[in-house]
Amino acid sequence: MKTTKLILLALMASPVTLSLISVSLSAKNIYVAPTGNDKATGTIDAPLATLPAAYKKVVSGDTVYFRGGTYKVTDEQVMKQESLYAYVFAIEKAGTAKKRTCFMGYPGERPVFDFSALQLDGAHRFAGFYLGANYLHLRNFDIVGLPVRIKGHTQSECVSARKGSYCIVENIAMHDNMAIGYYQTTGSNNLIVNCDAYNNYDDYSEGTYGGNVDGFGCHVGKTTETGNVFRNCRAWRNSDDGFDLINCAAPVEFDHCWAFYNGYRPTSDPKNTTTFQSAGDGNGFKAGGWGMGSGTTKCPAVCPSHHVHHCVAYRNKSNGIYANHHLGGNLWEQNTSAMNQRDNYNMVNRKTTSEAVDVPGYNHKLTGNVSWSPKKEHLSNCDAATSTLTNNSFGPNVITVADSHFVSTDPSHLFAPRDTEGNLPDLDFLVAKRGSALANSGMGWLWMEDEDTGVAAPVVKPDGAARIYDLKGHKVSRARKGLYIINGKLTILR
Ligand code: CA
Ligand code: CA
């Protein structure tokens, strides 16, 4: 009798609270496995087989977990076609600031999405994972084999961020595709962290030049699309550039990113450091610009100032760190650029939005940067009158950098495997040796103390374990007699 009264009281007193609780509790886990079945229920013991089947069950804030193994993606799985694009996995169910909608490799396992079988009609660009909503989170899987099936000017994109803000793309490896790794055209405050893009080369369209395949690109069109950050990401052996910000209207941050061996075709050994077959542009960090076409560019009235810091550009085909005919100055801090096959730092700017003339880069700020052994210049095309150079190895107090300045000059360190959380081991490649002139001057890239990627590891709740909450929504570890919400359902414990 007492219990019945409690139910009535609870239902009468706070229907709003109850419904809010049931919404927040409705976030669930859905499981997918290579051995699964799309007619299954999607629990950990009865997993589905494909992402599109799981997606049908997803509501805002849910998490889809992929068990380890390879997922062969077929034409039948393509979720959306819109004009030129085939959005293979079109993810359009937004999460919230408190609970993102998540698509994740199961902790400790590493799923691989193999898109190589995709064909369609030969007239579509492919977007592997389309981010079409706010507050999404991709984590812990590989994307391979994404094709290009169009002969003319075209591209495909592994992660295609075209309609989302506040998304996290974390610990995703995009490799051995014909596609760009991460490609963003709209959205603000996205975090791309602990991701790798390598061995990506389009050998099909435009005469096998591979001139569109960058590792990472951000090209937002609005000045308000700020707050996009790339952190601890690596790009190598992409046939065009490592990181590219052409046509990007809002400032972007590159923090602790590595760009090496870009501008070349892939090799069968992804750790090859000796074979170089030329492909596309091959800049490590291409920060800005709107091209050098005649006529007026789309550069906004206030040109964005990108921030590139604690990054390493190593032996790219062209410039290591490059302003790309930008229409304003960028902030370049504590980077190390070495062995690039043109200039280690090339600050060239376009004269004005209407005058397609290269001029020495104006209004750049360079602080704490190191240049070692470029093929051509340490620093080129930098206007000393308007740019600020402080404490760089190339000026104003020049240090002649030698390999003896560094803890390690062995580039195999750059390929260090990530741990299961996506973190890299402490790298000492091109880190200034203690006591060296570089270290004494505080120049060059470093790990920060207690470096934080800004992303908390998710907690997996197996479906078997009961989740018990009291009527105020507080989690209860051990319930006594009374009224509780257990696994989302109002339940009486007698
Ligand atoms: Ca290009
Ligand atoms: Ca490019």
Side-chain angles (χ1 to χ4, degrees), residues 272-399:
N272 184 310
T273 61
T274 54
T275 308
F276 298 103
Q277 199 176 357
S278 180
D281 291 353
N283 298 287
F285 296 88
K286 183 186 265 185
W290 275 265
M292 284 297 282
S294 56
T296 303
T297 70
K298 288 180 184 158
C299 180
V302 177
C303 186
S305 178
H306 303 298
H307 189 190
V308 181
H309 65 101
H310 297 95
C311 292
V312 174
Y314 180 76
R315 211 213 177 280
N316 295 286
K317 191 185 93 173
S318 188
N319 303 290
I321 286 180
Y322 183 40
N324 192 34
H325 326 280
H326 202 40
L327 280 145
N330 292 325
L331 175 57
W332 319 84
E333 290 181 305
Q334 302 293 145
N335 302 293
T336 298
S337 191
M339 298 275 180
N340 294 289
Q341 297 300 289
R342 194 174 156 184
D343 305 332
N344 277 347
Y345 296 82
N346 182 344
M347 296 290 111
V348 70
N349 277 149
R350 177 175 164 138
K351 191 173 179 188
T352 64
T353 51
S354 60
E355 294 169 283
V357 177
D358 280 340
V359 294
Y362 40 84
N363 298 330
H364 292 287
K365 285 197 175 75
L366 295 104
T367 303
N369 299 289
V370 167
S371 171
W372 176 49
S373 196
K375 184 109 178 189
K376 293 191 175 162
E377 304 288 331
H378 289 293
L379 172 71
S380 66
N381 299 308
C382 189
D383 175 40
T386 55
S387 295
T388 309
L389 274 73
T390 315
N391 195 40
N392 306 286
S393 72
F394 43 82
N397 303 315
V398 175
I399 294 175

Side-chain angles (χ1 to χ4, degrees), residues 18-303:
L18 273 176
S19 69
L20 281 176
I21 289 169
S22 70
V23 167
S24 68
L25 283 180
S26 71
K28 62 185 180 294
N29 296 340
I30 301 163
Y31 295 86
V32 182
T35 53
N37 180 333
D38 278 349
K39 294 194 174 114
T41 53
T43 62
I44 194 161
D45 297 319
L48 300 155
T50 67
L51 188 153
Y55 187 79
K56 285 184 189 144
K57 297 177 185 289
V58 167
V59 299
S60 174
D62 284 352
T63 297
V64 177
Y65 280 111
F66 304 98
R67 305 304 301 264
T70 299
Y71 296 85
K72 286 277 189 187
V73 184
T74 60
D75 284 358
E76 291 68 41
Q77 292 179 44
V78 174
M79 290 167 67
K80 184 174 178 177
Q81 293 178 44
E82 200 173 73
S83 60
L84 194 55
Y85 272 85
Y87 300 124
V88 184
F89 297 145
I91 301 170
E92 299 176 289
K93 294 175 181 172
T96 63
K98 283 205 169 137
K99 189 73 188 79
R100 286 181 169 81
T101 307
C102 302
F103 295 81
M104 298 183 167
Y106 192 76
E109 299 175 7
R110 185 76 181 182
V112 176
F113 290 90
D114 178 355
F115 292 89
S116 61
L118 288 175
Q119 295 285 341
L120 287 187
D121 49 10
H124 280 84
R125 296 178 171 197
F126 292 105
F129 282 79
Y130 165 73
L131 301 183
N134 294 342
Y135 294 109
L136 305 175
H137 191 166
L138 306 183
R139 186 177 205 267
N140 185 28
F141 54 81
D142 283 28
I143 298 174
V144 304
L146 194 73
V148 165
R149 303 287 187 216
I150 298 173
K151 266 290 179 196
H153 178 72
T154 191
Q155 67 190 44
S156 290
E157 301 145 22
C158 294
V159 175
S160 180
R162 292 178 167 273
K163 217 174 180 177
S165 295
Y166 302 98
C167 295
I168 298 174
V169 178
E170 181 192 8
N171 191 13
I172 306 294
M174 301 159 283
H175 60 96
D176 301 286
N177 298 280
M178 296 165 75
I180 299 165
Y182 176 91
Y183 189 83
Q184 182 175 341
T185 58
T186 63
S188 55
N189 298 297
N190 290 336
L191 174 65
I192 302 87
V193 61
N194 288 353
C195 290
D196 289 331
Y198 58 95
N199 275 8
N200 297 304
Y201 168 48
D202 168 9
D203 63 354
Y204 185 74
S205 75
E206 294 185 283
T208 73
Y209 178 58
N212 283 334
V213 183
D214 299 321
F216 299 84
C218 186
H219 317 278
V220 297
K222 294 187 191 140
T223 56
T224 51
E225 291 174 310
T226 56
N228 296 300
V229 176
F230 296 73
R231 180 167 292 141
N232 292 355
C233 293
R234 294 183 295 188
W236 73 94
R237 290 247 177 218
N238 298 289
S239 61
D240 206 48
D241 305 300
F243 295 78
D244 194 331
L245 299 178
I246 195 170
N247 298 328
C248 188
V252 168
E253 179 181 349
F254 293 135
D255 169 18
H256 282 86
C257 290
W258 291 260
F260 44 105
Y261 305 125
N262 293 291
Y264 300 106
R265 297 187 182 195
T267 52
S268 53
D269 172 10
K271 298 183 179 179
N272 184 310
T273 61
T274 54
T275 308
F276 298 103
Q277 199 176 357
S278 180
D281 291 353
N283 298 287
F285 296 88
K286 183 186 265 185
W290 275 265
M292 284 297 282
S294 56
T296 303
T297 70
K298 288 180 184 158
C299 180
V302 177
C303 186

